[in-house]
């Protein structure tokens, strides 16, 4: 049935209920109003514009334009067509697979001899390198969620309003709106690499829980085994930021002091008895770099904050400045934002001693904040990765008690499950696995939980 036949049937539906004594002038005004609304295309410009154009050119319109009852009926049909087109749900994107032998269950595996390609109906394309595998988890009208199981994928995402795309790789997620980038994931050594060519993306995961934004020309490398993440500028980096921003090579930073495992009951942080100093920045106030009074007054204001330096991958500079100003003073008097940035820089640069002190100071001085609560999880993860899973469980429990629905709840419960299995055996970990699957059925630790529950 074509458009003319559809509209003619709509007109038939409304004819019987329209009174015959409709004022001609009123009818003409209403008819013009309806046609104008259709032509504007209220949210569906292409489809509605075609309806308006068809109405004006339709022989049915010409034949009934002088008969109030029928022209009113035609205007009613136009209104009904307008509602149907406007309210009809947007159609999900579709995609075609090229170069792969099969795509059963939305699983695409490129052969060892050639790449596979996905082409979406909005123009977005995904190229899988030879030997790579990807699963399309979900597709809707604004984008798709994909899981890179192993290998390398090159994406060219079409820019559209409200576009929402993501690529998950291991425990990491790359969030995209419209850009061009390459992402690779190696299950064998737990390494993620993202090369951004155009636009911007945000990478989230265990080593970047708050998300690390990338700009065009930057590269991110995250290594799960080593527990570090690097951001460096590639060939396409802007001239204003030519220097690489990477983690210092092992051994170039100051040697860490002997670490002490801090438990949830220990004060930690700065000197004993340290309290929030009078006049310190209130929660929510703008952050500024710590100053020692040296140099021109405008120099500190012009310098980037520690949080900005961490976001740019300049971890070494944050640690160097903190040690230059006196680490103890920073821990006792620094703002909340600076403590959080110092802890992040120390974790990413593998300075566990500084990270423990910064996180402990955050909990002690700002216990009611979301950052103070998150520090419990980060301390547990730091201690866990350092080889003390039993001590880490206490911190995971502390975080889950303080923030049962917090951003790290899934990872805290999953890590607790793994730590309990390592220290107390599979039987002790099974109740935690059941709870994990109940709360986070699609979480990163789901395979481990199911394995624990397998007889």
């Amino acid at each position: 049935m074509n458009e003319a036949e559809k509209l003619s049937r709509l007109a038939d539906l409304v004819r019987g209920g329209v009174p015959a004594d409709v004022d001609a002038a009123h009818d003409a005004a209403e008819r013009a109003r309806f046609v104008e609304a259709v032509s504007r295309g209220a949210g569906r410009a292409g489809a509605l514009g075609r309806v308006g154009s068809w109405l004006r050119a339709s022989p049915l319109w010409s034949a009934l334009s002088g008969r109030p009852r029928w022209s009113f009926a035609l205007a009613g049909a136009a209104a009904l067509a307008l509602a149907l087109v406007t309210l009809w749900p947007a159609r999900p994107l579709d995609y075609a697979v090229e170069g792969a032998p099969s795509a059963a269950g939305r699983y695409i595996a490129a052969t060892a001899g050639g790449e596979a390609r996905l082409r979406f109906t909005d123009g977005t394309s995904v190229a899988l390198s030879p030997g790579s595998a990807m699963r399309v988890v979900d597709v809707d009208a604004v984008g798709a969620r994909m899981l890179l199981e192993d290998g390398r994928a090159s994406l060219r995402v079409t820019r559209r309003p409200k576009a929402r795309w993501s690529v998950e790789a291991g425990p990491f997620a790359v969030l995209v709106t419209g850009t061009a980038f390459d992402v690779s994931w190696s299950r064998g050594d737990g390494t993620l690499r993202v090369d951004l060519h155009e636009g911007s993306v945000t990478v989230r995961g265990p080593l970047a829980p708050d998300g690390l934004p990338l700009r065009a020309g930057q590269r991110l490398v995250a290594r799960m085994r080593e527990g570090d993440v690097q951001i460096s500028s590639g060939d396409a980096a802007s001239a204003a930021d030519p220097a690489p921003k990477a983690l210092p090579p092992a051994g170039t930073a100051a040697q860490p002091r002997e670490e002490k495992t801090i438990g949830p009951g220990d004060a930690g942080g700065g000197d004993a008895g340290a309290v929030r100093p009078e006049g310190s920045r209130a929660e929510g106030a703008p952050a500024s770099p710590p100053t020692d009074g040296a140099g021109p007054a405008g120099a500190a204001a012009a310098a980037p904050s520690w949080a900005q330096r961490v976001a740019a991958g300049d971890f070494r500079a944050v640690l160097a400045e903190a040690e230059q100003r006196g680490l103890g003073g920073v821990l006792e008097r620094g703002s909340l934002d600076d403590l959080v940035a110092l802890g992040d820089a120390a974790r990413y640069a593998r300075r566990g001693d500084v990270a423990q002190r910064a996180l402990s100071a955050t909990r002690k001085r700002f216990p009611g904040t979301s950052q103070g609560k998150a520090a419990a999880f980060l301390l547990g993860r730091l201690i866990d990765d350092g080889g003390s899973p039993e001590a880490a469980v206490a911190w995971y429990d502390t975080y889950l008690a303080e923030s049962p629905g917090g951003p790290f709840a899934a990872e805290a419960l999953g890590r607790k499950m793994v730590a309990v299995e390592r220290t107390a055996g599979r039987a002790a970990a099974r109740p935690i696995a059941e709870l994990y699957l109940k709360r986070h059925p699609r979480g990163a630790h789901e395979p481990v939980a199911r394995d624990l529950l397998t007889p």
Side-chain angles (χ1 to χ4, degrees):
M1 183 181 294
N2 57 34
E3 286 185 343
E5 292 171 331
K6 291 178 182 178
L7 287 178
S8 295
R9 290 195 59 180
L10 287 172
D12 291 338
L13 292 175
V14 298
R15 282 174 186 147
V18 179
D21 54 347
V22 177
D23 178 76
H26 175 77
D27 172 71
E30 290 299 302
R31 185 174 68 245
R33 186 167 66 89
F34 277 122
V35 172
E36 178 63 24
V38 171
S39 299
R40 280 200 305 268
R44 300 287 174 86
L48 295 179
R50 289 193 299 271
V51 173
S53 299
W54 181 87
L55 282 173
R56 289 191 177 92
S58 170
L60 182 62
W61 176 266
S62 301
L64 298 179
S65 59
R67 302 171 63 184
R69 175 177 176 177
W70 303 122
S71 56
F72 189 83
L74 189 60
L80 183 56
L82 174 65
L84 288 173
V85 175
T86 303
L87 300 178
W88 198 266
R91 178 178 299 178
L93 297 175
D94 198 1
Y95 64 93
V97 179
E98 304 171 357
S102 65
R106 294 185 172 181
Y107 180 81
I108 301 97
T111 64
E115 71 173 21
R117 188 175 295 271
L118 289 76
R119 297 188 185 276
F120 289 82
T121 49
D122 71 335
T124 295
S125 65
V126 182
L128 285 177
S129 297
S132 302
M134 171 178 280
R135 188 181 302 277
V136 180
V137 179
D138 188 35
V139 182
D140 57 22
V142 294
R145 174 175 163 240
M146 294 167 281
L147 174 61
L148 181 61
E149 298 195 350
D150 202 10
R152 182 174 182 269
S154 298
L155 288 86
R156 301 294 182 268
V157 179
T158 301
R159 292 183 179 274
R160 292 189 303 143
K162 299 181 180 180
R164 185 175 63 248
W165 297 78
S166 69
V167 179
E168 298 175 13
F172 298 94
V174 183
L175 310 180
V176 188
T177 52
T179 184
F181 68 100
D182 301 330
V183 55
S184 63
W185 167 248
S186 173
R187 288 184 297 183
D189 58 9
T191 299
L192 173 79
R193 173 170 166 170
V194 179
D195 290 288
L196 183 61
H197 307 299
E198 300 174 8
S200 62
V201 300
T202 299
V203 180
R204 290 197 175 102
L207 302 180
D210 297 325
L212 289 175
L214 296 183
R215 302 187 304 274
Q218 287 189 318
R219 170 182 298 165
L220 177 143
V221 179
R223 299 180 178 89
M224 287 295 296
R225 287 185 178 178
E226 292 80 358
D228 67 358
V229 60
Q230 302 177 12
I231 300 177
S232 59
S233 297
D235 296 336
S238 64
D241 187 21
K245 296 174 181 174
L247 289 177
T252 57
Q255 293 301 314
R257 302 167 184 159
E258 182 180 354
E259 294 184 25
K260 173 186 175 183
T261 298
I262 303 172
D266 300 326
D271 296 339
V275 296
R276 182 171 175 171
E278 182 178 356
S280 63
R281 187 181 64 83
E283 173 76 358
S288 60
T291 62
D292 56 3
S305 69
W306 283 0
Q308 290 172 329
R309 292 181 184 180
V310 169
D314 201 358
F315 313 130
R316 182 192 294 182
V318 173
L319 291 167
E321 187 170 327
E323 290 174 345
Q324 178 185 3
R325 297 180 185 280
L327 191 57
V330 173
L331 295 174
E332 292 177 17
R333 296 181 293 277
S335 69
L336 173 60
D337 287 346
D338 287 336
L339 281 180
V340 171
L342 176 60
D344 288 343
R347 289 189 297 112
Y348 298 148
R350 292 173 288 178
R351 288 291 305 275
D353 60 321
V354 177
Q356 277 200 8
R357 295 179 68 188
L359 291 167
S360 299
T362 302
R363 282 192 60 78
K364 179 178 179 178
R365 294 181 50 215
F366 305 98
T369 64
S370 60
Q371 295 93 329
K373 295 175 182 178
F377 166 75
L378 297 174
L379 278 166
R381 188 171 68 184
L382 193 66
I383 294 169
D384 196 356
D385 293 343
S388 301
E390 191 169 1
V393 169
W395 279 116
Y396 295 147
D397 284 338
T398 299
Y399 175 76
L400 291 169
E402 294 178 351
S403 303
F408 302 116
E411 190 177 355
L413 189 59
R415 278 181 165 264
K416 175 186 175 181
M417 173 181 63
V418 174
V420 168
E421 181 193 11
R422 290 166 58 191
T423 57
R426 292 175 63 88
R430 285 191 183 108
I432 308 173
E434 292 176 350
L435 180 61
Y436 183 89
L437 290 176
K438 181 179 179 180
R439 293 184 178 177
H440 313 289
R442 298 175 66 183
H445 288 84
E446 177 260 346
V448 178
R450 295 199 182 280
D451 179 69
L452 281 171
L453 296 176
T454 301

